[in-house]
Amino acid sequence: MYGRFLLPYYHQNPKMKMLEIGLGCNMNYGPGASVSLYKTLFPQAELWEAEFVEKCVRQYQGTEMMKGINVLTGDQGDYGTLDAWISKSGGNFDVVIDDGGHQNCQIWNSFMKLWPAVKPGGLYFIEDMEVARHGKKRQAQAPCDSNVIVPEKLKEMFDVLIYEEFGQQRSESDIEFIFCQADACVLGKKLDADPASVWWNKHKA
């Protein structure tokens, strides 16, 4: 998925601005594995990392691994935190990769706030959705409730792209495509996306 979408995007936009949620502080192999890869693959990009565990970020922030990486901290499921991330970073991301907490409400609240901050033509990746139906991944976090299952939400968006009965919604939507593989999906934003999309505003709940 990344080879098909992210690498070609970078080659066309080497100065791209990318946000990844999830530094990997809770991983057995330690934080920063993806950071090292991104620095190698995308040397001209503006890279942002968001992480929940602030203590871990402070521990590694001054290291060579984090050199050149812009850092955000806080709960990706909290609207106030997400607003602060957008304010501090300036938003206007080419690419967002959500590889964070994997709670449905964390993913969905992040998407609701960060998708509008993605540039027209940009990409939004969501990882590890194979656990979406697990009970422990369905904790409510306002304004999202425990009934939200992110893959089901994506299916609703997919229906709008596919079925002719949704023609009006499709024309109002800012989603160009949805591509999924095992466990993960990427959404592409229309080049002519309208930030005040009528369809989007109707489907925020």
Side-chain angles (χ1 to χ4, degrees):
M1 183 170 69
Y2 291 103
R4 181 173 294 187
F5 293 99
L6 184 54
L7 289 176
Y9 189 95
Y10 174 74
H11 290 311
Q12 296 176 16
N13 305 275
K15 301 289 188 181
M16 71 178 188
K17 182 177 184 180
M18 187 174 87
L19 167 66
E20 181 185 47
I21 303 172
L23 183 61
C25 287
N26 62 343
M27 302 303 292
N28 293 333
Y29 50 75
S34 59
V35 167
S36 300
L37 179 64
Y38 297 149
K39 288 170 69 173
T40 300
L41 292 178
F42 313 131
Q44 299 182 63
E46 180 183 341
L47 300 176
W48 288 80
E49 284 286 331
E51 171 58 44
F52 179 75
V53 185
E54 187 173 354
K55 180 180 178 181
C56 171
V57 172
R58 290 197 304 268
Q59 180 181 350
Y60 288 95
Q61 195 161 14
T63 65
E64 185 65 25
M65 176 185 72
M66 297 300 292
K67 185 177 180 180
I69 304 296
N70 302 285
V71 180
L72 304 165
T73 58
D75 179 2
Q76 71 170 107
D78 178 70
Y79 268 18
T81 296
L82 292 161
D83 284 335
W85 288 0
I86 294 168
S87 177
K88 181 177 179 179
S89 67
N92 204 32
F93 299 109
D94 290 277
V95 177
V96 174
I97 299 174
D98 186 346
D99 194 15
H102 308 313
Q103 291 278 346
N104 281 286
C105 282
Q106 288 178 322
I107 296 170
W108 188 244
N109 286 352
S110 293
F111 181 77
M112 298 302 293
K113 281 290 185 177
L114 295 176
W115 174 255
V118 172
K119 293 179 181 178
L123 303 170
Y124 196 109
F125 295 85
I126 305 175
E127 287 274 6
D128 297 322
M129 287 186 289
E130 74 277 10
V131 299
R133 292 187 181 276
H134 293 186
K136 64 182 180 180
K137 297 299 182 182
R138 299 180 64 177
Q139 298 175 16
Q141 188 168 14
C144 168
D145 66 44
S146 59
N147 293 316
V148 169
I149 299 176
V150 172
E152 299 300 325
K153 288 288 190 180
L154 296 180
K155 289 177 187 177
E156 294 175 15
M157 299 176 185
F158 183 81
D159 285 350
V160 170
L161 293 177
I162 295 298
Y163 296 118
E164 61 181 10
E165 64 200 75
F166 296 107
Q168 181 64 33
Q169 293 99 315
R170 183 189 307 166
S171 66
E172 295 172 347
S173 171
D174 55 2
I175 298 172
E176 179 70 25
F177 68 84
I178 301 171
F179 176 92
C180 297
Q181 63 175 35
D183 308 335
C185 295
V186 56
L187 295 86
K189 181 172 278 192
K190 289 180 179 178
L191 284 169
D192 60 350
D194 180 1
S197 165
V198 175
W199 178 86
W200 181 253
N201 288 336
K202 286 180 180 177
H203 288 74
K204 284 191 173 181

